[in-house]
Amino acid sequence: MKILMVTAEAVPFAKTGGLADMVSALSIELVRQGHDVKIVMPRYYKIDRKKLNPLSGPMAVAAGQVEAWTAVYETTMPGCDRLHVYFIDHEQSYGRDGVYGSKSEPDFHDNPYRFAVLSHGAFQLCRKIGWYPDIVHVHDWSACLAAVLTKHVCRYCGFENTASVLTIHNQGYQGQYGKDQFPALGIDWGLYYGAGFEHEGGINHLQAGISSADMITTVSPTYAHEIQTAEGGFGMDGLLRVRHDVIRGILNGADTREWNPAVDKRIPANYSIQDMSGKAVCKAELQKRMGLEVNPDIPLVGIVTRLADQKGIAEVFAPTYGSAYQMCTEMNLQFAVLGSGEKWCEREINELQSKLPNLRAYIGYDETLSHMIEAGSDFFLMPSRYEPCGLNQIYSMLYGTLPIVRRTGGLADTVENYNQETGEGTGFTFDALTPRAVFDTVGWAVWAYYNKKGDIQKMQKRGMQKQFGWNLAAEGYLSVYKEALKRGCNRDYTD
């Protein structure tokens, strides 16, 4: 099957979140299974042209009201020579720092035009190289115009046998802009209503993608249901319920070449389910690195997160009602925190660690430290308000670290709650997102650490045995691709 991934980001070239990991990992797995996959994305300022191969000749793109002229560069994915990645090079759109915005301009005012260049450019690229995909797989709002083009424009000029699949990585990000930005999309005004762009007098990219895609996926089964509710739909639950028959939830996999305690080069000592001794070494080294008391007998709770409302940070760190201070003063435990984001939260975490000897934090991001926290912690706290999939709880289980999570989205799909009667489970879960619920559930985990050592050890090993490979996710997407071709092009795909 020929599959074109249209995306704003993909590792290792550009990344702001899990979307970038998923696009690359899924593409690599599909290629390994014998499929012909290509990725197209913008060439941002930080992506060095000198490390890419230019395609000959310029390429005209119909974004905006006047054709834009772009260049195209190409390379192969590191570790997968058969996976080709193409970069649309357009200085006006991408010759700046940032994917969606910057510190001075968090949401670039011309994003509709920037990502129209990407979406139109994806189809022009196919024409340029003489390669016509079975599936255009678009990721989040920034690529949704490609789903619109597949259904309403290009299907009648060379892409008759191409269907589209939209993956919603985060329903909370929709690409909403004023109606005056519609001409930047380079499509007929009839599609303002006809393709589903109109939203409260403006344009909504994700709404148009949901309206136009032949199939829709989310990155976990539970999240597929949650986005169809008033709480999880962010104003689009009605439309999503109308399209419920084409929505599928497919759990993201984990890159076990990168996240595997037996071979991870970023942690102080390797370990496996057969020999867990290295985990104690990792805990001691993490305690040293963070400036915590080096003590193997104190439970250590790790947090690696964006400090954003979605992640439940207020319930943990808010100065007047967060539970962190109470947990640190009323329980015999330690916290190791890694993250950045909301300035109030960064300030409060710094204030807490100045007062509490058992809470230490690094404000920012450090890849090595993130691996050390996963390996060296006993528990990993993720009190997310919503979590489309989540990867850290998966990494935690693979590293023998027990997740403490709110039962939502992918967290509900991956973490099995501890059963005190049987000792079964892979972590600790709760439902209500309140400081009290966080406090009580962390307290429950700490109690088990001190009083149910055997259960803790069994849960660690059960989590480490879980299978989260991308081969399972790839099978799910292939099934969706075949259904998209049947719905969109009325054709059956046969291997």
Side-chain angles (χ1 to χ4, degrees):
M1 189 176 287
K2 294 179 179 179
I3 304 147
L4 179 66
M5 301 284 181
V6 185
T7 179
E9 50 186 293
V11 294
F13 309 104
K15 175 181 175 177
T16 68
L19 182 160
D21 297 296
M22 179 272 196
V23 169
S24 297
L26 175 60
S27 299
I28 289 170
E29 180 59 33
L30 289 167
V31 168
R32 285 179 178 156
Q33 293 187 16
H35 299 281
D36 185 3
V37 185
K38 302 184 190 303
I39 298 173
V40 60
M41 62 181 291
R43 189 202 72 79
Y44 300 109
Y45 183 75
K46 70 173 185 177
I47 302 174
D48 189 355
R49 286 193 190 99
K50 296 176 183 176
K51 297 180 180 179
L52 309 174
N53 304 310
L55 269 61
S56 62
M59 186 173 76
V61 173
Q65 296 173 291
V66 180
E67 276 189 332
W69 289 91
T70 72
V72 181
Y73 289 82
E74 177 267 344
T75 191
T76 56
M77 180 66 69
C80 187
D81 290 342
R82 290 180 293 153
L83 175 55
H84 291 262
V85 184
Y86 293 86
F87 300 87
I88 307 297
D89 189 44
H90 188 243
E91 191 69 19
Q92 177 186 336
S93 297
Y94 313 124
R96 65 188 87 166
D97 289 329
V99 174
Y100 309 103
S102 64
K103 289 185 177 180
S104 60
E105 188 180 1
D107 184 39
F108 290 133
H109 71 280
D110 58 344
N111 273 342
Y113 179 76
R114 296 174 70 239
F115 294 117
V117 171
L118 170 64
S119 292
H120 284 282
F123 291 92
Q124 284 294 79
L125 169 68
C126 294
R127 297 182 180 104
K128 185 177 181 70
I129 63 177
W131 181 87
Y132 292 83
D134 298 296
I135 297 293
V136 171
H137 190 160
V138 306
H139 296 270
D140 266 358
W141 73 265
S142 50
C144 277
L145 178 58
V148 173
L149 295 173
T150 301
K151 179 176 182 179
H152 295 284
V153 180
C154 298
R155 190 164 280 166
Y156 306 102
C157 52
F159 293 84
E160 294 82 3
N161 295 314
T162 300
S164 68
V165 173
L166 163 64
T167 292
I168 299 173
H169 296 262
N170 192 324
Q171 181 69 22
Y173 297 98
Q174 300 181 0
Q176 297 186 59
Y177 297 90
K179 186 177 181 179
D180 61 323
Q181 294 272 25
F182 187 80
L185 303 183
I187 55 178
D188 187 87
W189 267 105
L191 294 177
Y192 177 65
Y193 291 102
F197 277 101
E198 192 280 329
H199 181 78
E200 296 180 349
I203 61 174
N204 186 310
H205 286 76
L206 184 60
Q207 179 176 282
I210 292 169
S211 300
S212 301
D214 295 306
M215 291 292 293
I216 300 164
T217 70
T218 66
V219 289
S220 72
T222 294
Y223 194 59
H225 295 291
E226 289 177 346
I227 63 173
Q228 297 178 58
T229 68
E231 181 182 4
F234 288 88
M236 246 173 264
D237 50 295
L239 173 61
L240 287 160
R241 288 194 296 273
V242 168
R243 300 224 66 199
H244 74 277
D245 59 322
V246 303
I247 299 174
R248 305 287 182 270
I250 302 172
L251 187 70
N252 274 351
D255 186 348
T256 51
R257 299 166 304 159
E258 180 79 7
W259 293 92
N260 181 346
V263 297
D264 191 339
K265 295 179 181 179
R266 291 189 171 97
I267 61 178
N270 294 123
Y271 59 94
S272 67
I273 195 170
Q274 289 77 29
D275 181 3
M276 294 285 286
S277 59
K279 187 166 176 65
V281 176
C282 291
K283 180 174 181 177
E285 290 300 317
L286 176 61
Q287 288 170 325
K288 289 179 187 176
R289 168 81 182 263
M290 299 299 290
L292 294 163
E293 176 192 349
V294 179
N295 186 334
D297 299 322
I298 296 178
L300 176 53
V301 180
I303 298 176
V304 179
T305 187
R306 283 187 297 111
L307 301 177
D309 180 66
Q310 176 199 336
K311 301 299 182 178
I313 57 171
E315 286 68 23
V316 179
F317 297 114
T320 55
Y321 63 88
S323 56
Y325 184 84
Q326 187 181 8
M327 288 188 285
C328 287
T329 53
E330 298 184 21
M331 300 181 199
N332 189 20
L333 52 58
Q334 296 175 332
F335 271 95
V337 182
L338 170 64
S340 64
E342 297 283 347
K343 296 305 177 187
W344 73 262
C345 193
E346 293 182 359
R347 288 193 299 270
E348 183 60 24
I349 290 171
N350 282 326
E351 181 71 16
L352 286 169
Q353 69 174 332
S354 72
K355 298 176 181 177
L356 300 168
N358 54 343
L359 186 150
R360 291 291 179 266
Y362 178 92
I363 302 300
Y365 187 72
D366 182 298
E367 185 71 20
T368 296
L369 183 55
S370 73
H371 283 246
M372 289 182 66
I373 290 175
E374 290 289 7
S377 299
D378 299 296
F379 303 102
F380 192 95
L381 179 58
M382 288 182 72
S384 300
R385 191 170 303 281
Y386 68 96
E387 195 66 61
C389 176
L391 287 172
N392 281 105
Q393 85 281 9
I394 293 175
Y395 301 154
S396 297
M397 287 185 281
L398 294 175
Y399 280 66
T401 298
L402 303 183
I404 302 170
V405 303
R406 180 167 178 260
R407 195 158 28 214
T408 183
L411 304 179
D413 291 324
T414 52
V415 180
E416 178 189 346
N417 196 27
Y418 172 48
N419 185 322
Q420 282 183 217
E421 301 300 321
T422 65
E424 299 292 310
T426 58
F428 300 82
T429 70
F430 60 95
D431 292 305
L433 181 55
T434 64
R436 187 75 217 182
V438 175
F439 178 90
D440 287 345
T441 311
V442 172
W444 183 29
V446 169
W447 173 87
Y449 180 89
Y450 285 117
N451 297 283
K452 295 284 188 176
K453 290 284 188 185
D455 287 356
I456 293 292
Q457 291 168 359
K458 286 196 300 183
M459 292 168 71
Q460 287 178 318
K461 292 182 177 181
R462 191 176 295 114
M464 293 176 76
Q465 290 174 315
K466 292 272 238 177
Q467 298 296 314
F468 294 108
W470 273 102
N471 57 315
L472 299 175
E475 291 174 10
Y477 279 102
L478 286 168
S479 177
V480 168
Y481 294 160
K482 292 174 182 179
E483 192 171 352
L485 287 168
K486 183 67 176 176
R487 289 176 179 272
C489 308
N490 195 30
R491 72 181 182 102
D492 293 314
Y493 178 83
T494 54
D495 294 335

